[in-house]
């Protein structure tokens, strides 16, 4: 190991260029790098002219006999000492480190330390070759910064593509919803118009019955007009927020019951409705949501059992509302539509809202498997959400949460 020695020159050490057959002054001075010769204790004995210029040293005499590692600063002292030790053991040492010049100019150096030996003296001197790699380091730093910038741009672009793909997926889902409304909801008033028109033809001599059926046709026509208006509003708004207005749920359920009168009578269904609130929303969409839920309750009934549908409401704080998440509302209307139908296994309660998912075969029950997806989407468009609970052959409970504004 290196041990500190006094800086006084020992006898014979003034012959820096001993072994001049290996190192001539001409060779040392012709090198473009910073060359230094150290003694066996790691002290500076010589530096070539190019080295003095690169290190911005005007007087080498002030540094002569100083320990070399003192030039490198405290952070590099151990690194330099280890390199000197390695060279004194007969090995070539290499390292790269930062070291300012005598005038404080920042520079990076790539350094090689080689032993100089003779047959009779062994290793008696060390040759240090320091190459200025500041330009290379600056280039590497620029490349690193450019790579980081490129990575950031790639990340940003990837996120943009992900967002675009998500928007496309949502648009496709919206299109599926739109198609369902066209193929399903608009068919319902058309079917009523057809039925009542046939009844008019069959009862053409019964004036009272004819008037009643004409009234039903007019009501179905108005419903179709409202649906078409809603479609236009939804299709035109894209992903924008819907324009809300007061919507009395008691009136909505009454209107749905009137529209579904034939199915209700056919199933001998009893719909029990508690006092419901007035919510903010687009009435035609709110009507569509609860119409789908009631139609499902009528459709998925158990054979031989009278259908019972209970519709109730409650106000819950956001802290108790399951699914409120990061929503800013303080309270929500919790509206439950419960039935005594065939129900479903509770582990399907999340899957049931997925697009085109069916829990029952087409042979048993007709439908496309998109109705509940639309219900969920309508609830979300109004700032709320939905959840489902079920028990096989016991019934289902669908809960709609709508913000209380």
């Amino acid at each position: 190991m290196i041990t500190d020695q006094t800086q006084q020159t020992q006898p014979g050490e003034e012959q820096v260029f001993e072994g001049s057959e290996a190192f001539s002054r001409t060779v040392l001075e012709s090198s473009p790098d910073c060359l230094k010769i150290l003694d066996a204790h790691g002290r500076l004995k010589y530096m070539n002219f190019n080295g003095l210029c690169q290190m911005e040293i005007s007087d080498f005499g002030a540094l002569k006999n100083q320990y070399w590692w003192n030039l490198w600063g405290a952070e590099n002292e151990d690194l330099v000492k280890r390199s000197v030790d390695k060279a004194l053991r007969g090995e070539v040492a290499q390292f790269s480190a930062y070291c300012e010049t005598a005038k404080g100019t920042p520079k990076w150096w790539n350094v090689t330390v080689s032993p100089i030996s003779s047959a009779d003296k062994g290793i008696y001197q060390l040759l240090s070759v320091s190459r200025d790699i500041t330009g290379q380091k600056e280039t590497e730093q620029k490349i690193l910064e450019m790579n980081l910038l490129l990575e950031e741009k790639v990340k940003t672009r990837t996120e943009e593509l992900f967002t675009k793909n998500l928007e496309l997926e949502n648009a496709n889902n919206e299109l599926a919803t739109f198609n369902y409304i066209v193929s399903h909801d608009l068919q319902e008033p058309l079917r009523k118009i057809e039925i009542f028109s046939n009844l008019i033809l069959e009862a053409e001599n019964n004036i009272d019955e004819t008037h009643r059926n004409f009234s039903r046709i007019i009501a179905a026509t108005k419903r179709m007009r409202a649906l078409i208006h809603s479609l236009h509003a939804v299709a035109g708004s894209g992903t924008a927020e819907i324009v809300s207005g007061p919507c009395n749920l008691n009136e909505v359920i009454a209107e749905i019951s009137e529209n579904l009168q034939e199915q209700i009578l056919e199933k001998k269904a009893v719909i029990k409705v508690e006092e419901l609130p007035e919510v903010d929303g687009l009435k035609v969409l709110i009507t569509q949501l609860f119409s789908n839920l009631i139609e499902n309750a009528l459709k998925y009934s158990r054979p031989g059992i009278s259908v019972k549908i209970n519709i109730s409401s409650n106000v819950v704080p956001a802290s108790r509302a399951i699914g409120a998440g990061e929503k800013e509302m303080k309270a929500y209307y919790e509206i439950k539509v419960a039935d005594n139908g065939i129900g479903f296994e509770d582990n399907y309660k999340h899957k049931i809202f997925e697009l085109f998912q069916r829990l029952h075969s087409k042979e048993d029950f007709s439908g496309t498997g998109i109705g509940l997806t639309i219900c969920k989407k309508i609830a979300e468009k109004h700032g709320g959400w939905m959840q489902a609970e079920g028990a096989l052959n016991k019934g289902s409970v669908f809960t709609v949460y709508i913000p209380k504004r």
Side-chain angles (χ1 to χ4, degrees):
M1 293 291 296
I2 299 171
T3 55
D4 288 351
Q5 304 288 332
T6 61
Q7 296 185 20
Q8 295 181 357
T9 303
Q10 300 299 319
E13 286 186 345
E14 286 301 329
Q15 300 298 323
V16 175
F17 294 103
E18 285 186 80
S20 57
E21 66 280 358
F23 297 98
S24 68
R25 181 180 296 272
T26 302
V27 172
L28 294 172
E29 292 297 339
S30 65
S31 173
D33 298 320
C34 176
L35 269 58
K36 295 172 285 292
I37 290 183
L38 316 175
D39 65 13
H41 302 294
R43 294 177 297 199
L44 285 165
K45 308 303 290 183
Y46 167 81
M47 185 181 297
N48 68 345
F49 179 75
N50 286 333
L52 294 173
C53 293
Q54 292 177 39
M55 288 295 297
E56 298 182 316
I57 297 172
S58 56
D59 180 17
F60 178 71
L63 298 177
K64 189 174 182 180
N65 292 322
Q66 295 289 325
Y67 290 102
W68 183 40
W69 45 83
N70 290 340
L71 273 65
W72 288 90
E75 66 275 14
N76 292 319
E77 183 176 337
D78 288 341
L79 173 64
V80 177
K81 282 183 176 181
R82 288 197 302 271
S83 298
V84 170
D85 281 338
K86 186 175 182 179
L88 288 174
R89 292 195 302 269
E91 303 177 57
V92 175
Q94 289 185 315
F95 66 90
S96 294
Y98 172 84
C99 181
E100 296 180 355
T101 68
K103 295 183 179 180
T105 303
K107 286 193 176 185
W108 278 85
W109 305 90
N110 186 54
V111 182
T112 301
V113 185
S114 304
I116 301 173
S117 61
S118 63
D120 56 336
K121 294 183 178 180
I123 298 173
Y124 63 96
Q125 288 178 334
L126 304 177
L127 173 64
S128 165
V129 180
S130 301
R131 178 161 294 176
D132 185 353
I133 58 169
T134 306
Q136 176 184 330
K137 281 289 184 179
E138 290 175 350
T139 300
E140 289 175 356
Q141 183 61 31
K142 288 180 181 178
I143 292 173
L144 177 61
E145 291 172 358
M146 290 175 67
N147 285 338
L148 291 175
L149 180 61
L150 181 60
E151 288 177 6
E152 187 63 30
K153 287 183 176 180
V154 169
K155 179 182 177 182
T156 302
R157 184 57 178 161
T158 301
E159 290 174 352
E160 289 175 354
L161 287 174
F162 177 79
T163 302
K164 292 295 182 184
N165 287 336
L166 189 60
E167 290 174 357
L168 180 60
E169 182 180 350
N170 290 336
N172 287 335
N173 289 341
E174 292 286 349
L175 181 60
T177 303
F178 186 90
N179 288 336
Y180 174 82
I181 296 173
V182 172
S183 64
H184 178 271
D185 289 42
L186 289 180
Q187 295 293 333
E188 183 262 333
L190 279 175
R191 186 177 62 85
K192 280 186 167 55
I193 291 172
E194 182 181 8
I195 291 173
F196 297 139
S197 297
N198 289 329
L199 290 174
I200 289 172
L201 291 174
E202 293 172 2
E204 56 183 10
N205 295 324
N206 188 332
I207 299 300
D208 292 338
E209 184 67 22
T210 299
H211 284 175
R212 227 177 355 257
N213 289 329
F214 268 126
S215 297
R216 292 172 173 176
I217 289 173
I218 291 170
T221 305
K222 287 181 178 179
R223 175 166 166 75
M224 178 176 284
R225 182 182 295 110
L227 282 170
I228 292 172
H229 176 75
S230 172
L231 282 174
H232 176 74
V234 173
S237 66
T239 58
E241 293 293 327
I242 62 173
V243 179
S244 298
C247 179
N248 189 309
L249 293 184
N250 296 290
E251 296 176 0
V252 167
I253 300 301
E255 181 181 325
I256 293 170
S257 297
E258 176 64 24
N259 291 332
L260 299 176
Q261 186 178 17
E262 286 77 18
Q263 293 97 308
I264 291 171
L265 291 173
E266 180 186 343
K267 294 283 187 175
K268 298 179 181 180
V270 176
I271 302 178
K272 182 181 177 181
V273 184
E274 297 182 7
E275 186 65 26
L276 301 177
E278 183 177 82
V279 300
D280 283 343
L282 192 59
K283 183 179 178 181
V284 70
L285 292 182
I286 295 293
T287 301
Q288 183 185 351
L289 189 161
F290 287 100
S291 180
N292 279 342
L293 292 180
I294 294 173
E295 281 189 271
N296 274 357
L298 293 170
K299 179 192 297 185
Y300 298 108
S301 59
R302 287 181 285 169
I305 297 179
S306 297
V307 176
K308 293 182 181 179
I309 303 172
N310 295 320
I311 305 175
S312 60
S313 70
N314 192 20
V315 176
V316 295
S319 59
R320 284 181 48 203
I322 300 173
E326 299 178 356
K327 295 179 175 64
E328 298 178 355
M329 300 304 300
K330 294 182 179 179
Y332 291 83
Y333 290 115
E334 182 184 66
I335 303 138
K336 292 181 179 291
V337 179
D339 63 61
N340 64 340
I342 62 173
F344 58 89
E345 293 182 7
D346 199 55
N347 56 324
Y348 289 112
K349 63 184 179 181
H350 299 298
K351 183 179 180 181
I352 200 170
F353 291 109
E354 294 178 9
L355 193 64
F356 301 122
Q357 290 294 329
R358 296 174 55 89
L359 303 185
H360 310 285
S361 68
K362 290 184 178 181
E363 289 74 18
D364 295 330
F365 299 94
S366 62
T368 62
I370 196 176
L372 289 175
T373 304
I374 289 177
C375 291
K376 179 174 177 286
K377 195 174 293 294
I378 291 173
E380 290 172 349
K381 275 186 173 290
H382 286 79
W385 69 97
M386 283 189 65
Q387 67 183 62
E389 298 173 79
L392 202 58
N393 295 319
K394 291 185 178 180
S396 307
V397 180
F398 290 93
T399 306
V400 182
Y401 289 92
I402 298 178
K404 183 178 186 300
R405 303 187 186 280

